[in-house]
Amino acid sequence: FEVKMQSAQGNGYVSSFFTYHDHWGESNSNNWNLLTNEIDIEMTGNQNSSIQFTTHHPGEPNPWSYGEIINVGFNPHSDFHIYAFEWTPSNIKWFVDGVEVYSQNQDIVDDLIHPQKIMMNLWSAIWEDWVGIWNSSTMPVTSYYDFVKYYEYTPGDGNYGSNNNFTLSWIDYFDMFDNQRWEEATHGFYGNNCQFNPLNVMFHNGKMILIVSDINYILGDVNSDLAIDVVDIIAIIDILLYSNYIINTADYNQDNSIDIVDIVQIISLIL
């Protein structure tokens, strides 16, 4: 599982790329503690030179987790880097820019037996000793995803990864929102100051952009002055021509992309 991304900076924020066993629809979901399977890459916005790699495991009465925060020698919030992990029956290995930086052996990961889906999110955590003290005035913040690649485990018959044991299955370069592959979340969870909302997922200049913001904005009111006017149109034009700084309310028609259609519809609204 491989991603090229740039995480969000600031106390309280967590940017991620991970896999997760979505057990909530299963008939035995009441035993969720025995179904927990998750593999994480997480960047916390209060740490400027480290990344956390974690696995989450089933347990009775509670699930358990194992991982480490690894110094990577650069600020993951200031530029794009490639992160990956390999999941095999015998171990999990994590990589940064093609270099293995951390691993967990079979005695740790042998209970990761359930299928897992690929997920990405940006959120604000309540655990201040982990992420620092969140200040809502720091919104909006963004994390950027340039691509995601998924490789099948094909031992002895691959051309990538450790011992060439993996074969590329698909790539998403995020030129658009692929609703056959991805789903936009509309929920929250314990420990999260945020509520996930499709309004805060954008695609622009070949990047998927996740945004933490106050969503009590008016669509089309790009400058947040509670009025939709020519100033907002100019702001959208500036985003289109020059800027990677994305404002979610610029996507007036909510198609996950800021483009000329948004401008036309706002002009029609004004007229």
Side-chain angles (χ1 to χ4, degrees):
F1 304 86
E2 190 172 61
V3 65
K4 184 178 181 181
M5 65 176 288
Q6 178 181 332
S7 49
Q9 184 145 11
N11 284 357
Y13 297 108
V14 182
S15 307
S16 72
F17 177 73
F18 63 107
T19 57
Y20 176 78
H21 176 54
D22 190 1
H23 50 72
W24 298 107
E26 298 184 7
S27 59
N28 57 347
S29 60
N30 288 333
N31 295 323
W32 64 272
N33 53 316
L34 300 179
L35 298 169
T36 298
N37 271 199
E38 183 176 338
I39 307 169
D40 291 350
I41 298 175
E42 293 178 303
M43 301 82 168
T44 60
N46 62 328
Q47 299 290 334
N48 292 335
S49 60
S50 62
I51 300 172
Q52 183 164 328
F53 306 105
T54 311
T55 51
H56 299 268
H57 304 259
E60 184 70 59
N62 296 306
W64 59 281
S65 303
Y66 188 83
E68 288 191 30
I69 298 174
I70 303 294
N71 188 288
V72 292
F74 59 81
N75 186 344
H77 320 308
S78 63
D79 205 350
F80 285 91
H81 292 271
I82 297 176
Y83 308 95
F85 58 87
E86 298 176 351
W87 175 22
T88 76
S90 59
N91 57 50
I92 297 175
K93 299 178 180 180
W94 286 262
F95 300 81
V96 176
D97 292 328
V99 178
E100 182 181 336
V101 296
Y102 179 59
S103 65
Q104 294 180 7
N105 294 326
Q106 186 171 3
D107 59 339
I108 299 174
V109 303
D110 60 1
D111 58 4
L112 299 183
I113 59 174
H114 299 295
Q116 300 182 40
K117 63 182 181 181
I118 300 173
M119 300 183 69
M120 294 155 279
N121 60 28
L122 172 61
W123 55 290
S124 170
I126 65 173
W127 296 286
E128 296 176 357
D129 57 341
W130 178 39
V131 299
I133 300 173
W134 179 61
N135 185 337
S136 61
S137 68
T138 59
M139 297 187 295
V141 300
T142 54
S143 59
Y144 299 87
Y145 296 80
D146 189 47
F147 64 68
V148 165
K149 299 181 181 181
Y150 168 68
Y151 300 80
E152 294 184 10
Y153 181 51
T154 54
D157 192 33
N159 56 13
Y160 193 79
S162 297
N163 301 315
N164 284 325
N165 280 337
F166 297 85
T167 301
L168 181 65
S169 179
W170 55 259
I171 307 172
D172 195 329
Y173 286 113
F174 296 127
D175 294 318
M176 59 177 292
F177 175 56
D178 183 352
N179 60 9
Q180 300 302 306
R181 176 170 290 141
W182 306 109
E183 193 174 25
E184 295 171 308
T186 56
H187 67 276
F189 51 81
Y190 172 75
N192 185 357
N193 289 312
C194 304
Q195 179 78 15
F196 295 129
N197 192 307
L199 178 64
N200 286 29
V201 181
M202 295 294 304
F203 291 78
H204 187 68
N205 290 344
K207 307 287 189 299
M208 183 180 74
I209 304 167
L210 303 183
I211 308 169
V212 172
S213 68
D214 180 354
I215 63 171
N216 295 319
Y217 292 147
I218 301 171
L219 285 175
D221 181 21
V222 181
N223 65 342
S224 302
D225 64 354
L226 301 181
I228 301 175
D229 51 30
V230 69
V231 177
D232 299 300
I233 295 172
I234 293 171
I236 296 176
I237 292 173
D238 182 72
I239 291 173
L240 288 174
L241 295 179
Y242 307 112
S243 178
N244 283 318
Y245 179 70
I246 301 303
I247 300 171
N248 51 355
T249 51
D251 181 21
Y252 183 78
N253 66 347
Q254 285 296 280
D255 65 350
N256 294 99
S257 177
I258 299 174
D259 51 34
I260 190 66
V261 176
D262 299 300
I263 296 175
V264 169
Q265 291 187 346
I266 293 175
I267 290 174
S268 177
L269 177 68
I270 294 172
L271 296 178

